[in-house]
Amino acid sequence: MKISPYKFVAVSYQLYVGEGAERDLIEETVPDQPMTYISGTGLMLDAFEKNLSGLSVGDLFDFKIPAEEAYGKYDDGKVIDLPKELFEIDGVFDDEKVYEDAVIPMMDSDGDRLTGTVVSVVDDVVVMDFNHPLAGEELHFSGKVEVVRDAAEEEIQFALNPQGGGCNNCNGGSCGDGCSY
């Protein structure tokens, strides 16, 4: 069976960024704990799925995805200063959750969820980076297809309409009214 839309797929792989001696392993899955997904549901990068399309169990893969086809170029415009007041709970700055390198789920004025990384906390602002952590990076995947099978209808529906979600800082809630960030 070959990887095609609506197949359950499991792959073991190594993910690298950088080139030559500067290459860093940033993620690795192993055969007994592979990464799984339902192909064609839009949950994976398009370029990732295109590179695996047509492969079968046991096939090896080794490909690169340019930044533009992965998480885009790094955009300095996505690094912004936010008032510290946005990160207060009952009038007190939340320094237990807001510190350099902390990843914080947030919501913009249109209600769209986004994730930012704290660059720094200075004076009356929190400098946040809303670029994806891999923005600007070429991704290099090397691995093996472990499983390809027809996906069960329940698996497809879950992939198309994931349940749950919520905001970590709102105890699984919607990060709507009453949530500071």
Side-chain angles (χ1 to χ4, degrees):
M1 182 174 289
K2 294 185 180 297
I3 297 175
S4 59
Y6 302 113
K7 299 293 185 201
F8 176 93
V9 179
V11 294
S12 56
Y13 65 86
Q14 294 177 323
L15 171 57
Y16 296 92
V17 297
E19 293 294 324
E22 300 296 314
R23 190 169 92 153
D24 292 319
L25 175 67
I26 62 166
E27 185 175 75
E28 181 173 20
T29 65
V30 292
D32 61 335
Q33 293 182 322
M35 191 267 300
T36 62
Y37 68 99
I38 307 300
S39 60
T41 58
L43 295 178
M44 304 301 294
L45 292 171
D46 287 341
F48 181 85
E49 287 209 42
K50 286 177 187 172
N51 278 283
L52 294 181
S53 182
L55 297 182
S56 300
V57 171
D59 286 349
L60 300 177
F61 57 86
D62 188 42
F63 58 86
K64 294 180 180 179
I65 301 175
E68 297 78 13
E69 294 178 36
Y71 298 102
K73 293 183 177 185
Y74 188 86
D75 181 357
D76 290 327
K78 291 184 177 181
V79 178
I80 60 173
D81 294 348
L82 295 174
K84 256 184 163 175
E85 293 83 36
L86 290 176
F87 302 92
E88 291 180 355
I89 297 176
D90 297 326
V92 178
F93 179 72
D94 187 0
D95 59 3
E96 289 185 24
K97 292 183 181 159
V98 184
Y99 52 88
E100 191 172 318
D101 295 326
V103 177
I104 301 176
M106 300 186 76
M107 188 177 292
D108 67 14
S109 59
D110 295 326
D112 298 318
R113 293 172 196 244
L114 46 135
T115 302
T117 303
V118 177
V119 175
S120 63
V121 179
V122 292
D123 300 325
D124 58 348
V125 299
V126 176
V127 180
M128 297 286 297
D129 184 349
F130 289 102
N131 284 288
H132 187 281
L134 295 176
E137 297 285 356
E138 177 180 74
L139 308 181
H140 181 181
F141 289 91
S142 179
K144 180 180 177 185
V145 178
E146 303 292 344
V147 175
V148 179
R149 65 168 169 77
D150 289 327
E153 184 61 33
E154 298 81 30
E155 292 171 320
I156 295 169
Q157 289 308 312
F158 183 79
L160 293 172
N161 303 297
Q163 302 299 313
C167 171
N168 292 336
N169 292 323
C170 294
N171 299 318
S174 67
C175 266
D177 296 337
C179 185
S180 299
Y181 51 93

Short mmCIF file of all heavy atoms in Angstrom, two decimals, residues 130-156:
data_model
loop_
_atom_site.label_atom_id
_atom_site.label_comp_id
_atom_site.label_asym_id
_atom_site.label_seq_id
_atom_site.Cartn_x
_atom_site.Cartn_y
_atom_site.Cartn_z
N PHE A 130 6.53 36.38 17.27
CA PHE A 130 5.42 35.57 16.79
C PHE A 130 5.77 34.79 15.53
O PHE A 130 4.90 34.22 14.88
CB PHE A 130 4.17 36.44 16.59
CG PHE A 130 3.58 36.88 17.90
CD1 PHE A 130 3.81 38.15 18.38
CD2 PHE A 130 2.84 36.01 18.67
CE1 PHE A 130 3.29 38.57 19.60
CE2 PHE A 130 2.32 36.39 19.89
CZ PHE A 130 2.54 37.68 20.36
N ASN A 131 7.06 34.72 15.17
CA ASN A 131 7.49 33.84 14.09
C ASN A 131 7.43 32.40 14.59
O ASN A 131 7.63 32.14 15.79
CB ASN A 131 8.95 34.15 13.70
CG ASN A 131 9.09 35.40 12.87
OD1 ASN A 131 8.71 35.43 11.72
ND2 ASN A 131 9.63 36.45 13.48
N HIS A 132 7.19 31.47 13.69
CA HIS A 132 7.30 30.06 14.05
C HIS A 132 8.75 29.82 14.46
O HIS A 132 9.66 30.40 13.88
CB HIS A 132 6.91 29.18 12.85
CG HIS A 132 6.84 27.73 13.20
ND1 HIS A 132 7.97 26.95 13.31
CD2 HIS A 132 5.79 26.93 13.48
CE1 HIS A 132 7.62 25.72 13.63
NE2 HIS A 132 6.30 25.67 13.74
N PRO A 133 9.00 28.96 15.45
CA PRO A 133 10.39 28.71 15.86
C PRO A 133 11.30 28.24 14.72
O PRO A 133 12.51 28.43 14.78
CB PRO A 133 10.26 27.61 16.92
CG PRO A 133 8.87 27.77 17.45
CD PRO A 133 8.04 28.26 16.30
N LEU A 134 10.73 27.65 13.67
CA LEU A 134 11.54 27.19 12.55
C LEU A 134 11.45 28.11 11.33
O LEU A 134 11.89 27.75 10.24
CB LEU A 134 11.15 25.76 12.16
CG LEU A 134 11.44 24.71 13.23
CD1 LEU A 134 10.92 23.34 12.80
CD2 LEU A 134 12.92 24.65 13.55
N ALA A 135 10.90 29.31 11.52
CA ALA A 135 10.85 30.27 10.41
C ALA A 135 12.27 30.58 9.96
O ALA A 135 13.19 30.73 10.78
CB ALA A 135 10.15 31.56 10.85
N GLY A 136 12.44 30.64 8.65
CA GLY A 136 13.74 30.94 8.08
C GLY A 136 14.67 29.74 7.96
O GLY A 136 15.79 29.87 7.47
N GLU A 137 14.22 28.59 8.39
CA GLU A 137 15.06 27.39 8.37
C GLU A 137 14.67 26.45 7.24
O GLU A 137 13.49 26.20 7.01
CB GLU A 137 14.93 26.61 9.69
CG GLU A 137 15.39 27.36 10.91
CD GLU A 137 16.90 27.45 11.04
OE1 GLU A 137 17.62 26.87 10.21
OE2 GLU A 137 17.35 28.11 11.98
N GLU A 138 15.67 25.91 6.56
CA GLU A 138 15.45 24.81 5.63
C GLU A 138 15.38 23.54 6.48
O GLU A 138 16.22 23.33 7.35
CB GLU A 138 16.60 24.71 4.62
CG GLU A 138 16.45 23.53 3.68
CD GLU A 138 17.59 23.46 2.69
OE1 GLU A 138 18.71 23.07 3.10
OE2 GLU A 138 17.37 23.79 1.51
N LEU A 139 14.37 22.72 6.25
CA LEU A 139 14.18 21.49 7.03
C LEU A 139 14.72 20.31 6.24
O LEU A 139 14.41 20.14 5.06
CB LEU A 139 12.70 21.27 7.33
CG LEU A 139 11.95 22.44 7.96
CD1 LEU A 139 10.50 22.06 8.20
CD2 LEU A 139 12.62 22.90 9.24
N HIS A 140 15.50 19.46 6.88
CA HIS A 140 16.07 18.28 6.24
C HIS A 140 15.56 17.05 7.00
O HIS A 140 15.92 16.83 8.15
CB HIS A 140 17.59 18.34 6.27
CG HIS A 140 18.25 17.18 5.61
ND1 HIS A 140 19.60 17.03 5.55
CD2 HIS A 140 17.76 16.09 4.97
CE1 HIS A 140 19.91 15.91 4.92
NE2 HIS A 140 18.80 15.32 4.57
N PHE A 141 14.71 16.28 6.33
CA PHE A 141 14.15 15.06 6.91
C PHE A 141 14.84 13.84 6.32
O PHE A 141 15.04 13.75 5.11
CB PHE A 141 12.65 14.94 6.58
CG PHE A 141 11.78 15.91 7.30
CD1 PHE A 141 11.48 17.15 6.74
CD2 PHE A 141 11.24 15.60 8.54
CE1 PHE A 141 10.66 18.05 7.40
CE2 PHE A 141 10.43 16.49 9.21
CZ PHE A 141 10.13 17.72 8.64
N SER A 142 15.16 12.89 7.18
CA SER A 142 15.75 11.63 6.77
C SER A 142 15.10 10.54 7.61
O SER A 142 15.10 10.64 8.84
CB SER A 142 17.26 11.66 7.00
OG SER A 142 17.85 10.44 6.63
N GLY A 143 14.50 9.53 6.96
CA GLY A 143 13.82 8.52 7.75
C GLY A 143 13.29 7.35 6.97
O GLY A 143 13.74 7.06 5.86
N LYS A 144 12.30 6.70 7.58
CA LYS A 144 11.74 5.46 7.03
C LYS A 144 10.24 5.42 7.27
O LYS A 144 9.76 5.83 8.34
CB LYS A 144 12.41 4.28 7.71
CG LYS A 144 11.93 2.92 7.25
CD LYS A 144 12.67 1.83 7.99
CE LYS A 144 12.16 0.46 7.61
NZ LYS A 144 12.80 -0.60 8.41
N VAL A 145 9.51 4.91 6.28
CA VAL A 145 8.07 4.70 6.42
C VAL A 145 7.86 3.42 7.21
O VAL A 145 8.34 2.35 6.81
CB VAL A 145 7.37 4.62 5.04
CG1 VAL A 145 5.88 4.35 5.22
CG2 VAL A 145 7.61 5.89 4.23
N GLU A 146 7.18 3.51 8.34
CA GLU A 146 6.96 2.35 9.22
C GLU A 146 5.61 1.68 8.99
O GLU A 146 5.51 0.46 9.06
CB GLU A 146 7.08 2.79 10.69
CG GLU A 146 8.39 3.45 11.06
CD GLU A 146 9.59 2.51 11.01
OE1 GLU A 146 9.41 1.28 10.99
OE2 GLU A 146 10.73 3.03 10.98
N VAL A 147 4.57 2.49 8.75
CA VAL A 147 3.21 1.96 8.60
C VAL A 147 2.47 2.77 7.55
O VAL A 147 2.57 4.00 7.53
CB VAL A 147 2.41 2.03 9.93
CG1 VAL A 147 0.97 1.58 9.75
CG2 VAL A 147 3.09 1.25 11.03
N VAL A 148 1.72 2.07 6.70
CA VAL A 148 0.76 2.70 5.81
C VAL A 148 -0.45 1.78 5.79
O VAL A 148 -0.33 0.59 5.49
CB VAL A 148 1.28 2.87 4.35
CG1 VAL A 148 0.20 3.52 3.48
CG2 VAL A 148 2.55 3.69 4.31
N ARG A 149 -1.60 2.32 6.16
CA ARG A 149 -2.83 1.54 6.13
C ARG A 149 -4.00 2.46 5.88
O ARG A 149 -3.87 3.69 6.00
CB ARG A 149 -3.01 0.76 7.42
CG ARG A 149 -3.22 1.63 8.66
CD ARG A 149 -3.69 0.81 9.85
NE ARG A 149 -3.67 1.53 11.09
CZ ARG A 149 -4.57 2.44 11.47
NH1 ARG A 149 -5.57 2.78 10.68
NH2 ARG A 149 -4.46 3.04 12.65
N ASP A 150 -5.13 1.89 5.54
CA ASP A 150 -6.33 2.70 5.41
C ASP A 150 -6.67 3.29 6.77
O ASP A 150 -6.60 2.58 7.78
CB ASP A 150 -7.51 1.84 4.91
CG ASP A 150 -7.37 1.43 3.46
OD1 ASP A 150 -6.80 2.21 2.68
OD2 ASP A 150 -7.83 0.33 3.11
N ALA A 151 -7.00 4.55 6.79
CA ALA A 151 -7.39 5.19 8.05
C ALA A 151 -8.85 4.85 8.34
O ALA A 151 -9.68 4.80 7.43
CB ALA A 151 -7.21 6.70 7.95
N ALA A 152 -9.15 4.61 9.60
CA ALA A 152 -10.53 4.39 10.01
C ALA A 152 -11.29 5.71 9.88
O ALA A 152 -10.71 6.79 10.01
CB ALA A 152 -10.57 3.89 11.45
N GLU A 153 -12.57 5.62 9.64
CA GLU A 153 -13.40 6.82 9.50
C GLU A 153 -13.27 7.73 10.72
O GLU A 153 -13.20 8.95 10.58
CB GLU A 153 -14.87 6.44 9.27
CG GLU A 153 -15.78 7.62 9.01
CD GLU A 153 -15.41 8.41 7.75
OE1 GLU A 153 -14.92 7.82 6.77
OE2 GLU A 153 -15.61 9.64 7.75
N GLU A 154 -13.21 7.15 11.91
CA GLU A 154 -13.06 7.95 13.13
C GLU A 154 -11.74 8.71 13.14
O GLU A 154 -11.67 9.85 13.60
CB GLU A 154 -13.15 7.07 14.39
CG GLU A 154 -14.46 6.35 14.56
CD GLU A 154 -14.57 5.08 13.72
OE1 GLU A 154 -13.53 4.41 13.43
OE2 GLU A 154 -15.69 4.75 13.31
N GLU A 155 -10.67 8.07 12.65
CA GLU A 155 -9.37 8.73 12.60
C GLU A 155 -9.39 9.90 11.63
O GLU A 155 -8.85 10.97 11.91
CB GLU A 155 -8.28 7.74 12.17
CG GLU A 155 -8.01 6.66 13.20
CD GLU A 155 -7.10 5.57 12.68
OE1 GLU A 155 -7.23 5.16 11.50
OE2 GLU A 155 -6.24 5.12 13.48
N ILE A 156 -10.04 9.71 10.50
CA ILE A 156 -10.15 10.79 9.51
C ILE A 156 -10.95 11.95 10.07
O ILE A 156 -10.54 13.11 9.98
CB ILE A 156 -10.80 10.28 8.20
CG1 ILE A 156 -9.88 9.24 7.54
CG2 ILE A 156 -11.09 11.44 7.25
CD1 ILE A 156 -10.52 8.49 6.39
#
